[in-house]
Structure formats: C-alpha cells, structure tokens
Amino acid sequence: SAVPESLPIAISVVLVLGIRRMAARKALVRSMRAIETIGAITTIATDKTGTLTQNKLTVGKVWQPPFSHHPVGEYLQKSINGNAEKVHDPLDIALLDYVSKQKMPSLKHKVISTLPFDQSVSMSGNIWDHGATLTLDIKGAPEHVLQRSDLTSNEHEKAQRMLHELTANGYRVIALATTTIGKRIKKFSDLPKGQKFEFVGFVAVSDVLRPEAKHAISAALSAGVTVRMVTGDHVETAYHIAKQLGMAQSREQVFDARHMNVMNDDELDKAIRDIRVFARVIPEHKYRILELLKRHNITAMTGDGVNDVPALTDAHVGLAMGSGSQIAKDAGDIILLDDNFKSIIDAMHQGRIIISNIRRMLFYLLSTSSGEALTMMGSLIVGLPLPILPVQILWVNLVTDTAMVIPLGLEPGEKHIMKTKPKRPNSPILNKFIITRMVVVALSMAATVLTMFSLYIDTHGEDYARTIAFSALVVMQWSNAFNARSDHQSVFTRLRTWNGPFYMGLAIAVTLQILVLSGPLGDILHVSPISLSDILITGLIAFIIPIVLVEFHKIIGRQLLKKPNTQYMVN
C-alpha cells in the first residue's frame, strides 16, 4: 500500500509530453536534466545578433571624412568578402544590397584573394589586382582600424566623434580602409610591421530588434532571472540596444570585455557582479565570463560556433542555436530551433511547469499511499479486521492512481509561476509545507476509512463494511486529486482552469469504480452488494473531508506567502 507503483510510468510520460510541448515552442531538448535545470536558472547570458535581433542588417548611414579622398562607395564594394560572389554573411549581404540600391558602377579590377575575418585584428578584406600594384581593402572594428590608420591627431579626433555619434544611436559601425601591398599575402599577420592603412570612412549598419524580445526579457526579470547580453558590438551600440530592451538602465551596467585581459578572476568577478551587457566580446571571453557567473548563479549560455563549445558544455544549461554549427548543437542541452530569445523564456516556463507538476504527482501519490498504509496499520493497532484487501489495494494503486496521476502531470501552470524567483538547486522537491499537507491528508484518509469501517462492521458485517471502506478510500483519492491541482489556489478557483486530461482521467476512474461496485469486476475484487444510499452518503463525506482540510491548509499557506521571512517554507 505504501509503494506508489505508477510513479515511474507517470513521470516518464509527463517528461516525454513536456519535451514535445517544448519542441512545439522551438526548444528541442537533448538532455533530460535540462528540463529541471532550465526552470531553476538565475541568469541567462545571450548573444545579441539573431537572438535578440532578427539578424537582418541594413545600411543606415555612410560617412566619409572631409580629409579622405577615397570614394567610400567604391571601397565599400571592395570590402565585400568574395566580391559579391556566394555571399552568406549577413553584413556582406547588407552591403551588397546597399550597393544594388545605390546603383553603383561595377568595379573594373578583380579580386585575387580574400582574407577571412581575423579575430586578433578584428578585420577582413580582399586583395585587388590593379595591374602595377596590389591593394588590400578591408573592413573591421573601428577602434582597430583607426589605430592602424595614418591619421593625424585632429583627423583621429573627428573620426572618434563621428563614431561615438553613430554608436550612440544604436548603429553597428564598420570602418573601411585601404593600403597598398608589395606582394600577395594569405593572412593579416603577413603584413609588414608598422604597415599603415588609409582610412576611408564608416558604414553604419542597423539590425531590427525582434518585436517579442523586450516582452520576453521583462518576463525573465519578473521570474527573478537576470539577462546578460554578450556581444561583439561597440560599447555605445550595445548600451543603446540594451536600454531599448529594458536590460540596462545606466552605462555602469555595460562592461568592455577588452579590459578582461588585464584583470585577474577575483577582480573581474567583482567588476561584473551587476553587469548586464558585455561588449566587444570575442568567443574566447565567453568561457571565462561563464565561469565567473557560475560562482553565484545557475547559468544558461547561448552559442552557435565552434569557439562556443567549451561555454555550452560547461554551462548549467547550454542553449545552442539551430542555425549554428553541428558541433555546437551537439554540445548544447537545448537547441533553439528559431534562434529566438523568446524560445528560451518559453522553455524556462515549460520547465517550471513540468517540475511543478512532478511535485503535484508526488504529493498526490505519496499522500494517498501514506493514507492507505496508515489505514492498514491503524486497523491492526485498534484490533479491527483488515479494512482493505490486498487485491483492492492493488486496484487503487494501479488503476485509480494511474488514471488520476498522469493528468496531474499535464496540469496547466499557475499564473504566478513566472512571477516567483527560481528555487535553489539544493532545495528539496517537496518543501516542509507540502509535507505537512501530505500528513494532514494521510491522517484524514485513515481516520475516515477506519471510522466508517468500524461503524458498518457492527451493523452490516465485515464484507459490507469492507466494501464501504474500499469505496470511501477511492473517493478520497479523487478528492485529493482536486486538491493536488494547485499548491495555493483554492480548489474552487482552480476549477476555472480547464484541464481536459484531468476530467478524462476522472471519468475513467469513476467508470471503472462503478463497474467494480455493480459489474462483473466486483467478484474479482471481493466487493459485496451495498445500498445506493450508503454509497452516496459515505462517498459525499469522503469527498468533502480532504477538500475542507486542505482548503484550510491553503489559506494558511496564502497568509505565509505574504510574509517575506516565511515564503521559503511554502514556495
């Protein structure tokens, strides 16, 4: 009677169905443990491009300084990787689209090789053959390009002012430059030391924010989860976007990742404690940021490339982008099929619902099984015959419980589920408050069944009384299933929340019990004929008692929730 036989089956079914629901919301779960962990995360470190934005870049402004004699449009074309052939990078696509709309003339010379983006210098470029000379035309991070350009201090200051103006408006700024080279090279490190570029100008690119991103970030903050943006963008650009999304309120919450190289772990840990935006991040920084965040948080980290694999595997929950590399997807615990930040919040929501439903299932099964065990022990203590036979206990545990427990695992989440802070990872799955409720239910079941059994055994005999006790025990389990639908909401309030599987399970359980009491199954379960009036009276009493007691218990719980120093006991 004390063993909840249906628990392993019920949990397996609920987890599988939960994974299906998460997949329908574009979050593909690859690791079972991620279902529990995603609901307990306290911070999310997320990429910007493609996750918070749509990764649909457009050229907003083109700036050519007055001291430059190079036509910026021509060099913009020259900087497109692959010279407009087989372009896949969103930035190159945006530049190519701008060239097309401006109807710029085709270039006369030809590109002979391409230097892919080099993280160490934050540049990419093309080598062009002009007949007598070769030129390297590049685009890259403004700070790096300006640093290597042959500008006077006055020209450098003017470029910096324009850079600040563009980034303050949320633009992603790309610098263009050119230099003459004496021979063909394969990588930037082959350039002669001290080689200077001629600065051409800036291209300001904008990316459209996902319309649902701001609401999703707000939902995460309401759930007690901090959101940290990790981006390679300029500090001002990152701050502007973060402010639009409600992630950062001041520049003090933005950290320039280039400072990481001169800070030890303890200094960096202190510096980033309240940081919400990491700017100018390179992939190698991600792992170190993650390690420090993990000191104080349950972390979720997004990634899409090979360099992100260490961070994805070391995060409590690794969130791989569906458009990313295969090795990144293999390393992630959850794959975001649409690369959307909202899918992270949807997955977190579903994770919390699944764990809450598992708690409901545990409460229901353990309280009813305890009630059966106390009933059996109580009869032995007071010297009564067995009120429930072994075959009847098996019927209750395998049929009645199973019909009700799986629907409890499919219960819709409570309204406040995304309004509470994440539970501590080491907190017990059943808190003290729910355990006291289990004790109340178990004692009430045992007391009610034994009282009915002792009353009817004196007036109607042992077999009749046992059938009454068996019927009352089953009805009390139905009643307890209604109690289990919510931890704090009244059962009457919870009735407004529709759960089709729950009522289907209840219908199955009621139908089977009717077949036991009035059909051919009665002989197998040793059930005796009893009057309809006795069934109705005892059934009504058995149904009301657990609900009344648990309603009082929920009232106490709601009062405790209003007191901050006792919330941890009931939440």
Side-chain angles (χ1 to χ4, degrees):
S1 64
V3 177
E5 294 92 341
S6 58
L7 183 59
I9 298 173
I11 289 179
S12 299
V13 170
V14 167
L15 286 174
V16 169
L17 294 177
I19 289 174
R20 285 187 62 186
R21 288 199 301 271
M22 292 173 78
R25 289 166 174 78
K26 307 301 182 182
L28 183 62
V29 178
R30 297 185 65 253
S31 171
M32 278 288 191
R33 70 172 180 82
I35 295 176
E36 178 182 359
T37 311
I38 191 70
I41 59 174
T42 59
T43 192
I44 302 170
T46 177
D47 293 322
K48 173 187 72 70
T49 304
T51 308
L52 298 173
T53 66
Q54 297 181 13
N55 200 18
K56 295 180 179 178
L57 305 180
T58 56
V59 175
K61 289 186 178 181
V62 174
W63 179 75
Q64 181 176 355
F67 51 81
S68 173
H69 61 277
H70 298 290
V72 67
E74 176 185 336
Y75 286 89
L76 184 151
Q77 292 184 74
K78 287 184 175 181
S79 71
I80 298 173
N81 287 42
N83 190 23
E85 296 178 3
K86 298 180 180 179
V87 173
H88 300 291
D89 182 80
L91 176 58
D92 287 324
I93 293 172
L95 298 181
L96 190 60
D97 184 60
Y98 177 79
V99 168
S100 176
K101 289 180 178 178
Q102 296 297 316
K103 298 181 179 180
M104 294 181 179
S106 300
L107 300 174
K108 298 179 181 179
H109 306 289
K110 66 176 183 176
V111 63
I112 59 174
S113 65
T114 295
L115 301 187
F117 184 78
D118 186 334
Q119 191 72 63
S120 63
V121 294
S122 297
M123 300 177 189
S124 67
N126 293 316
I127 298 176
W128 288 80
D129 185 356
H130 297 267
T133 61
L134 298 176
T135 62
L136 172 60
D137 299 286
I138 63 100
K139 63 178 182 293
E143 301 94 329
H144 288 263
V145 174
L146 291 175
Q147 185 180 6
R148 299 189 61 168
S149 296
D150 56 349
L151 299 176
T152 66
S153 58
N154 184 44
E155 291 170 342
H156 191 276
E157 184 180 344
K158 287 181 179 179
Q160 284 287 0
R161 282 203 300 268
M162 178 53 63
L163 174 62
H164 185 272
E165 180 182 327
L166 293 172
T167 55
N169 287 315
Y171 286 113
R172 176 183 174 185
V173 180
I174 308 298
L176 303 176
T178 184
T179 188
T180 302
I181 56 177
K183 62 178 181 178
R184 185 172 176 174
I185 61 174
K186 294 183 178 179
K187 51 186 183 295
F188 282 99
S189 58
D190 293 336
L191 285 171
K193 290 184 178 179
Q195 175 97 23
K196 290 292 184 179
F197 289 92
E198 296 177 57
F199 178 65
V200 174
F202 291 138
V203 177
V205 180
S206 61
D207 194 356
V208 181
L209 294 177
R210 288 186 181 270
E212 66 275 14
K214 185 173 183 178
H215 177 74
I217 289 171
S218 176
L221 297 177
S222 297
V225 179
T226 57
V227 182
R228 305 169 196 265
M229 185 169 72
V230 181
T231 178
D233 284 350
H234 189 278
V235 172
E236 289 296 328
T237 304
Y239 172 62
H240 179 85
I241 293 171
K243 194 172 181 181
Q244 280 185 291
L245 293 171
M247 294 175 61
Q249 306 303 321
S250 66
R251 283 179 172 80
E252 285 69 31
Q253 293 177 299
V254 183
F255 181 78
D256 190 334
R258 290 173 295 182
H259 299 319
M260 291 175 61
N261 299 328
V262 295
M263 302 173 72
N264 62 41
D265 283 352
D266 290 335
E267 291 172 336
L268 187 58
D269 180 35
K270 185 178 180 181
I272 69 172
R273 194 72 59 88
D274 297 318
I275 293 299
R276 296 296 178 265
V277 181
F278 295 89
R280 286 303 186 208
V281 173
I282 60 176
E284 289 74 12
H285 289 153
K286 272 192 172 184
Y287 183 80
R288 191 178 178 198
I289 292 171
L290 172 68
E291 285 297 299
L292 296 176
L293 290 178
K294 283 177 64 178
R295 290 185 177 183
H296 315 286
N297 296 278
I298 305 299
T299 57
M301 173 71 80
T302 65
D304 60 359
V306 175
N307 291 332
D308 295 328
V309 169
L312 287 172
T313 54
D314 199 48
H316 293 105
V317 181
L319 300 164
M321 300 295 108
S323 62
S325 63
Q326 186 59 47
I327 191 171
K329 287 187 277 190
D330 290 341
D333 300 301
I334 296 175
I335 299 175
L336 302 180
L337 300 176
D338 59 353
D339 296 0
N340 195 337
F341 182 81
K342 180 179 180 295
S343 298
I344 302 176
I345 307 305
D346 289 341
M348 183 173 69
H349 186 200
Q350 287 299 316
R352 289 191 175 190
I353 290 175
I354 290 170
I355 298 305
S356 295
N357 286 344
I358 288 176
R359 290 192 180 98
R360 290 189 178 98
M361 293 158 59
L362 284 172
F363 161 73
Y364 172 74
L365 287 176
L366 295 179
S367 59
T368 53
S369 295
S370 299
E372 295 168 20
L374 287 176
T375 300
M376 305 302 288
M377 289 189 293
S379 65
L380 295 174
I381 291 171
V382 299
L384 288 172
L386 289 178
I388 309 292
L389 296 176
V391 69
Q392 294 172 340
I393 291 174
L394 288 175
W395 173 266
V396 171
N397 283 11
L398 293 176
V399 179
T400 304
D401 279 355
T402 303
M404 298 306 303
V405 72
I406 292 179
L408 284 173
L410 304 177
E411 191 72 26
E414 296 186 69
K415 291 181 179 180
H416 72 276
I417 198 166
M418 291 296 285
K419 301 292 183 182
T420 57
K421 292 183 178 180
K423 296 183 184 296
R424 299 188 304 271
N426 60 348
S427 61
I429 193 165
L430 294 175
N431 57 42
K432 295 178 181 178
F433 187 73
I434 296 300
I435 291 175
T436 60
R437 184 176 299 172
M438 288 168 52
V439 172
V440 169
V441 171
L443 289 174
S444 67
M445 287 179 67
T448 303
V449 172
L450 287 176
T451 299
M452 290 182 180
F453 182 68
S454 61
L455 290 175
Y456 277 92
I457 198 172
D458 292 335
T459 57
H460 294 76
E462 184 176 323
D463 291 340
Y464 194 98
R466 183 172 290 122
T467 301
I468 290 290
F470 170 58
S471 178
L473 185 65
V474 169
V475 172
M476 294 189 84
Q477 297 211 355
W478 300 343
S479 174
N480 194 37
F482 280 93
N483 289 329
R485 292 192 65 196
S486 173
D487 291 343
H488 302 292
Q489 270 189 327
S490 167
V491 66
F492 306 106
T493 303
R494 193 62 180 173
L495 287 174
R496 301 172 192 167
T497 302
W498 178 255
N499 179 6
F502 177 84
Y503 293 106
M504 186 180 297
L506 180 64
I508 292 171
V510 172
T511 301
L512 291 173
Q513 189 64 18
I514 291 173
L515 291 176
V516 168
L517 295 177
S518 60
L521 293 176
D523 294 336
I524 300 174
L525 296 176
H526 306 290
V527 170
S528 298
I530 55 177
S531 69
L532 181 60
S533 59
D534 284 341
I535 293 177
L536 293 176
I537 292 171
T538 57
L540 184 61
I541 294 171
F543 190 83
I544 290 174
I545 287 176
I547 287 181
V548 170
L549 293 174
V550 172
E551 281 299 301
F552 278 115
H553 195 265
K554 287 181 178 180
I555 291 172
I556 295 171
R558 289 194 290 270
Q559 294 300 316
L560 290 176
L561 278 175
K562 296 177 182 178
K563 301 177 181 179
N565 59 333
T566 58
Q567 280 192 5
Y568 73 95
M569 295 177 59
V570 296
N571 207 358

